[in-house]
Amino acid sequence: MIRIPVVHSEEDLVVDDRVGRWLIRHDFRILRTTSGHCRPFFRIRYSSTRWPVHVAVARWVVGGYRTGMFAKHLNGDVMDCRRRNLEAVRTKGEAGGGLPPLVDPLLPGLSSLG
């Protein structure tokens, strides 16, 4: 297990050793948005595109970009991207989503965020 710091955050991404070594060796910075699904991602530039492509770490780990699948976090923690915590699912809805940072899940009206 390797912990990789998230840029501009006090959180760490948890990944398996092999995945973590690959990300570090290729000098990918892990980012996380403050809105939307809040899943950690890295950017990669393709020669065929003008702008970098955002790659969700969990979906990349389960091979979702090759197969069209999405990643579901079994323990609900989107920062835990170890293979044993991920399950490949067919639809984005089955994968669920993370809560925006600093949101209390017990607040009334939270269902309007989803």
Side-chain angles (χ1 to χ4, degrees):
M1 176 179 79
I2 293 179
R3 292 183 172 276
I4 300 175
V6 177
V7 175
H8 302 300
S9 174
E10 294 184 14
E11 295 181 291
D12 291 333
L13 173 69
V14 179
V15 291
D16 295 316
D17 292 341
R18 184 176 175 196
V19 172
R21 285 192 305 266
W22 188 89
L23 289 168
I24 292 168
R25 182 175 58 234
H26 292 284
D27 201 27
F28 284 114
R29 298 180 332 155
I30 303 300
L31 306 159
R32 188 173 185 203
T33 61
T34 56
S35 62
H37 54 69
C38 302
R39 292 177 186 255
F41 64 91
F42 60 92
R43 292 181 184 143
I44 192 165
R45 189 174 290 279
Y46 290 110
S47 60
S48 61
T49 63
R50 180 178 177 185
W51 305 104
V53 176
H54 291 206
V55 178
V57 175
R59 189 172 184 198
W60 173 68
V61 168
V62 298
Y65 290 102
R66 285 183 287 111
T67 61
M69 303 289 270
F70 294 89
K72 177 179 180 179
H73 294 265
L74 299 176
N75 69 0
D77 181 6
V78 296
M79 299 306 288
D80 184 354
C81 292
R82 294 175 293 171
R83 288 187 190 273
R84 70 178 180 193
N85 182 45
L86 299 175
E87 177 184 9
V89 294
R90 291 185 185 270
T91 66
K92 190 183 279 190
E94 287 178 281
L99 292 173
L102 306 174
V103 172
D104 185 350
L106 302 177
L107 288 174
L110 184 63
S111 60
S112 65
L113 292 175

